[in-house]
């Protein structure tokens, strides 16, 4: 596979790296702020899960920061921002490093700012919470759930991802069947960001203003705090439901998602043979069957069982969702969203994957068409979620790779049939698809917050450095 | 207006009344079960809000039970059922008497069974509660809310209606924007009913089985207990938002209902001049403006305000929803659902009304068409709610009545344009519209539970008494 599969290359070319002298001077200016410059460690910390993509794997090979800086509080971040701005040294922010697109892989060296040490729950009140950017999603829920509230949605990487990383690089997740997309109005209450102006400062973006920095890969601000709406907690049950037939399962997933009377948090459709790669669950995954993985509120189990029965499904596993502070059981959500792909890749590194967004209202028809067209070559895995006021689905298809030509053909066929491909083989923000990037809010905010183009350079292709 | 507007007459004719001797014998057989037979009191208790309809007002004039019996517990109900069955005396169950279609007006005398004294909260657990049929909705929430749970939906008559009456005659209400329709799978967990077999017994219907007796006007069982799913409580704010233009308001209502990120409980669209009749709120209702009445979770207020601003709305009132146990403030929901009509009728008894169901996905287009077609003659009041997996609306239009011919024309025009009319001018269950009645489950259950056709006779037109 060659890199020409990426739909766009970095139009700014490879951003210039800081000089060794500048890095030496920076280290001296850091004072007591901890940092690591052991090249082996820095190289390791400079990676995320981009290796899902053979294209990114090639493109990002060897890319690394010059040093990893570990700020202890926002004052440290302001200090680092000032010293880096003065020396025109790039900063890339790292949370849990769970991204799949090389979002936080430094293209131009400089500082990898590891904010995982800045991770306090600042406050919780009914329906809202405020967190430092490095707070892990699981730790937020461990703190919040006893108060009766939980995050509305989280990625399948809940156990390692941070809240700052989620809003900087995520789009949706477990909970999106109820609360929609991260970019929906109201999904993120506020962001606090540090700029890289000559005199860096912290700026608060509230309400609709958060669009400026949401899903911007940290190209226009160092997120230091995130205020999020919370959902009332439910006791959750997780289940696997097996079906004889793919479309029967798909229709069940749609019906479950649309059931106003049944409280669900996760509705995932996974076509055989993807489940054959889920080794730890094999006893619950009958050969040849499509499965649905679901999270259902305990008080909704009775109507859920009625719907399963009516839909000719068989429940092969049903158990309480493991508590966040119980590391002994792997929750089923770690077989959904992009973890499904990971489970396959653990066993077979020759496959690759796609991400696509189906049209609300036509999604089942499109899914059926693609399933019929590609069969096992493009193994379907769909995540049901609220989108544009509807229940629809996106897919993270696992693709049996043959040639780059064939992959292009598959992508083209989807696009020609109205299925939007959100290219997982690019680290360029704009190439993720037209709707991922929120217009010029992001660019305008970058002009304000990052006038020298030092934040995660090379990721936002619209940005043209001042001459 | 003449009665020929009703789309169907009772096909069974006027059911026979019990003989005076049978009533005398029944009274003697009641033992210590309290009853009232003062004709003035019985006549008064035999009425509901059918007088909204001039047609029902005429048809139901003078209809009354022979006596009102006030059971104290289920054993009393079994006793009354046995004694009535033996003497072929009809029973009509009365909860809060808040129906609008004469559902509980006895057509054939007999016993009016007032279950309002059987009203305990039997138990509450996370997400589920069980209540005796006569429990008032407001009392359920007063008990449940401190435990962190509340009813998913309630009619605008929350302060007087009972849970048994709601499931026997209601369809949706405040909360349906989130939890859909009462007939959606999972909206009612279980019903316990007493039969009128030779030896009456109590039967439990669980899950999908509840379809047999849901919205059956008490024609096939005396509901004694109701188990309902509960929703997590939110702190609710209620607001009035005014708009210069009807369709701007309608699009706002749709967008608010579809906002996955904004937690709402009520989204009501009311065209001018209906608000001119809301006297206690006049200071918040600018002349000539369409309003939206909404209930929004407090943590969602910030994104709600953004949406209002984007939609060119003006918030004229925003306050905490009055607590259920605070009788000093009238909650805004008492200006929504069928209370809107009541507020108009309080001032102008010459109007009448319609109920109609718009097609999900086409509802705004249909609403716009009808608004343009009829203007102030058919004043639009729409309730937004989840329906078939979508956010759609139904309407309770206030109609300036001219002639019966014109009213028929209005109804026909709606039907010809794909808007389903749920006729509010009939007490016949089947005439409420094809989807209100759940197929033959109800009829089959009536054959089992009411072999002699003694339960609310004359309301279920499919029922043919055994020869």
């Amino acid at each position: 596979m060659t890199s020409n599969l990426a739909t766009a290359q970095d139009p700014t070319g490879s951003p210039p790296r800081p000089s060794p002298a500048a890095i030496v001077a920076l280290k001296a200016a850091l004072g007591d702020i901890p940092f690591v410059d052991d090249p082996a460690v820095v190289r390791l910390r400079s990676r995320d899960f981009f290796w899902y993509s053979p294209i990114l794997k090639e493109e990002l090979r060897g890319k690394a920061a010059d040093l990893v800086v570990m700020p202890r509080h926002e004052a440290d971040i302001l200090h680092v921002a000032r010293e880096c701005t003065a020396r025109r040294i790039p900063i890339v922010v790292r949370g849990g490093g769970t991204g799949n697109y090389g979002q936080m892989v430094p293209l131009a060296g400089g500082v990898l700012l590891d904010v995982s040490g800045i991770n306090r729950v600042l406050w919780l009140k009914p329906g809202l919470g405020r967190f430092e950017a490095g707070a892990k999603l699981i730790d937020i829920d461990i703190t919040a759930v006893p108060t009766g509230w939980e995050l509305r949605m989280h990625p399948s990487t809940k156990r390692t991802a941070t809240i700052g990383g989620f809003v900087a690089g995520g789009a949706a997740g477990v909970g999106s069947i109820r609360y929609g997309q991260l970019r929906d109005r109201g999904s993120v209450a506020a962001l606090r960001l540090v700029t890289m102006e000559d005199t860096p400062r912290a700026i608060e973006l509230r309400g609709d203003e958060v669009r400026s920095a949401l899903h911007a890969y940290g190209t226009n601000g160092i997120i230091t705090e995130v205020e999020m709406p919370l959902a009332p907690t439910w006791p959750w049950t997780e289940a696997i439901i097996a079906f004889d037939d793919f479309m029967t399962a798909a229709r069940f997933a749609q019906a479950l998602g649309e059931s106003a009377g049944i409280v669900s948090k996760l509705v995932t459709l996974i076509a055989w043979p993807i489940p054959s790669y889920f080794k730890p669950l094999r006893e619950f995954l009958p050969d040849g069957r499509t499965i649905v993985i679901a999270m259902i509120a305990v008080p909704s189990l009775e109507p859920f069982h009625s719907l399963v029965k009516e839909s000719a499904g068989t429940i092969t596993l049903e158990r309480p969702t493991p508590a966040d502070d119980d590391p002994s059981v792997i929750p089923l959500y770690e077989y959904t969203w992009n973890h499904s792909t990971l489970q396959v890749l653990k066993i077979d590194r020759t496959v690759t994957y796609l991400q696509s967004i189906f049209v609300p209202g036509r999604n089942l028809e499109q899914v059926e068409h693609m399933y019929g067209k590609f069969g096992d070559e493009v193994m379907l895995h769909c995540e049901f979620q609220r989108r544009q006021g509807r229940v629809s689905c996106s897919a993270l298809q696992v693709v049996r790779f043959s040639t780059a030509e064939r992959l292009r053909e598959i992508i083209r066929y989807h696009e020609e049939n109205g299925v939007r491909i959100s290219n997982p083989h690019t680290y360029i923000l704009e190439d993720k698809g037209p709707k991922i990037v929120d217009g010029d809010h992001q660019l305008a905010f970058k002009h304000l917050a990052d006038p020298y183009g030092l934040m995660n350079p090379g990721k936002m292709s619209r940005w043209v450095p001042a001459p």
Side-chain angles (χ1 to χ4, degrees), chain A:
Chain A
M1 197 178 317
T2 59
S3 66
N4 60 356
L5 265 175
T7 56
Q9 296 297 318
D10 174 6
T12 65
S14 215
R17 290 187 73 106
S19 70
I23 296 295
V24 169
L26 175 67
K27 286 180 197 170
L30 285 177
D32 64 349
I33 303 175
F35 69 89
V36 177
D37 58 1
D38 177 319
V41 175
V42 174
R43 211 160 40 235
L44 198 67
R45 304 290 285 283
S46 298
R47 295 167 56 85
D48 64 15
F49 285 77
F50 65 81
W51 54 265
Y52 276 35
S53 161
I55 294 156
L56 291 177
K57 197 171 169 181
E58 184 176 311
E59 289 183 351
L60 296 176
R61 178 171 294 145
K63 299 286 185 191
D66 290 297
L67 72 167
V68 181
V69 180
M70 287 92 78
R72 299 154 298 182
H73 36 62
E74 193 182 89
D76 279 357
I77 293 180
L78 283 159
H79 182 106
V80 176
R82 189 178 60 244
E83 298 301 333
C84 284
T85 303
R87 296 175 177 80
R88 305 296 188 260
I89 294 173
I91 293 181
V92 176
V93 184
R94 184 189 204 276
T98 57
N100 296 110
Y101 320 120
Q103 293 109 304
M104 49 70 54
V105 176
L107 300 179
V111 166
L112 187 70
L113 195 71
D114 179 348
V115 298
S116 60
I118 303 180
N119 54 21
R120 288 177 302 164
V121 172
L122 295 171
W123 51 257
L124 292 169
K125 56 186 179 185
L128 275 180
R130 190 163 172 120
F131 317 101
E132 289 183 331
K136 282 202 287 187
L137 300 174
I138 194 167
D139 292 331
I140 288 173
D141 268 0
I142 287 172
T143 309
V145 166
T147 73
W149 300 90
E150 63 185 29
L151 288 167
R152 284 183 177 181
M153 64 188 91
H154 63 78
S156 61
T157 50
K158 179 182 189 181
R159 299 205 290 181
T160 46
T162 62
I163 189 72
F166 185 39
V167 299
V174 181
S176 288
I177 188 61
R178 207 158 173 72
Y179 288 100
Q181 311 295 303
L182 207 43
R183 72 168 164 276
D184 286 343
R185 173 176 275 141
S187 284
V188 178
L191 297 175
R192 185 175 163 94
L193 307 101
V194 165
T195 68
M196 289 185 78
E197 298 164 283
D198 288 320
T199 303
R201 59 191 166 126
I203 292 179
E204 175 98 356
L205 301 178
R206 291 206 66 86
D208 284 2
E209 295 169 350
V210 303
R211 292 178 297 183
S212 300
L214 210 60
H215 203 276
Y217 292 179
T219 56
N220 60 10
I222 302 166
I223 297 171
T224 60
E225 295 178 10
V226 183
E227 190 176 316
M228 294 291 275
L230 301 173
T233 52
W234 290 90
W236 295 110
T237 286
E238 53 185 32
I240 297 174
I241 313 100
F243 294 84
D244 286 346
D245 168 80
F246 175 75
M247 280 311 297
T248 306
R251 281 186 290 268
F252 166 79
Q254 184 76 25
L256 178 58
E258 289 186 350
S259 291
I262 300 174
V263 176
S264 58
K265 188 171 180 176
L266 175 69
V267 181
T268 306
L269 171 73
I270 304 178
W272 190 264
I274 295 176
S276 68
Y277 294 91
F278 296 175
K279 294 299 178 200
L281 297 176
R282 285 299 284 120
E283 61 183 302
F284 311 113
L285 304 168
D287 273 358
R289 305 287 182 90
T290 291
I291 60 164
V292 171
I293 294 179
M295 287 174 68
I296 304 293
V298 169
S300 289
L301 283 175
E302 195 168 357
F304 166 70
H305 292 158
S306 299
L307 179 61
V308 170
K309 192 176 166 193
E310 184 184 84
S311 309
T314 304
I315 295 174
T316 60
L317 174 63
E318 185 180 293
R319 66 185 185 192
T321 296
D324 286 322
D325 53 4
D326 173 8
S328 71
V329 186
I330 296 173
L332 290 187
Y333 68 69
E334 288 199 4
Y335 295 88
T336 70
W337 291 86
N338 226 348
H339 258 79
S340 304
T341 316
L342 177 63
Q343 302 290 355
V344 179
L345 283 166
K346 276 180 184 170
I347 290 169
D348 183 352
R349 289 286 186 112
T350 71
V351 301
T352 186
Y353 80 123
L354 286 180
Q355 295 192 355
S356 51
I357 298 169
F358 295 92
V359 177
R362 288 183 52 213
N363 62 306
L364 281 193
E365 170 200 323
Q366 290 180 322
V367 163
E368 181 165 26
H369 181 80
M370 294 304 165
Y371 184 78
K373 172 80 180 171
F374 294 108
D376 281 2
E377 185 185 7
V378 181
M379 298 175 252
L380 268 166
H381 155 213
C382 300
E383 293 293 343
F384 286 75
Q385 57 206 269
R386 280 194 213 280
R387 192 179 276 276
Q388 299 164 38
R390 303 288 293 267
V391 170
S392 188
C393 62
S394 60
L396 297 108
Q397 300 96 331
V398 180
V399 180
R400 290 198 200 282
F401 182 70
S402 52
T403 65
E405 173 56 32
R406 176 61 180 159
L407 186 52
R408 270 194 295 271
E409 201 171 289
I410 292 169
I411 290 174
R412 201 167 45 240
Y413 188 85
H414 279 75
E415 289 174 340
E416 285 169 2
N417 286 274
V419 178
R420 187 149 60 86
I421 296 288
S422 181
N423 189 348
H425 304 291
T426 172
Y427 54 77
I428 301 291
L429 191 54
E430 287 84 348
D431 296 344
K432 299 300 294 173
K435 288 233 178 162
I436 300 295
V437 181
D438 197 347
D440 287 319
H441 297 289
Q442 289 186 346
L443 184 59
F445 192 67
K446 187 170 174 76
H447 278 288
L448 181 153
D450 183 27
Y452 303 110
L454 299 169
M455 289 176 165
N456 206 354
K459 302 291 172 61
M460 188 194 276
S461 63
R462 282 165 297 173
W463 170 258
V464 181

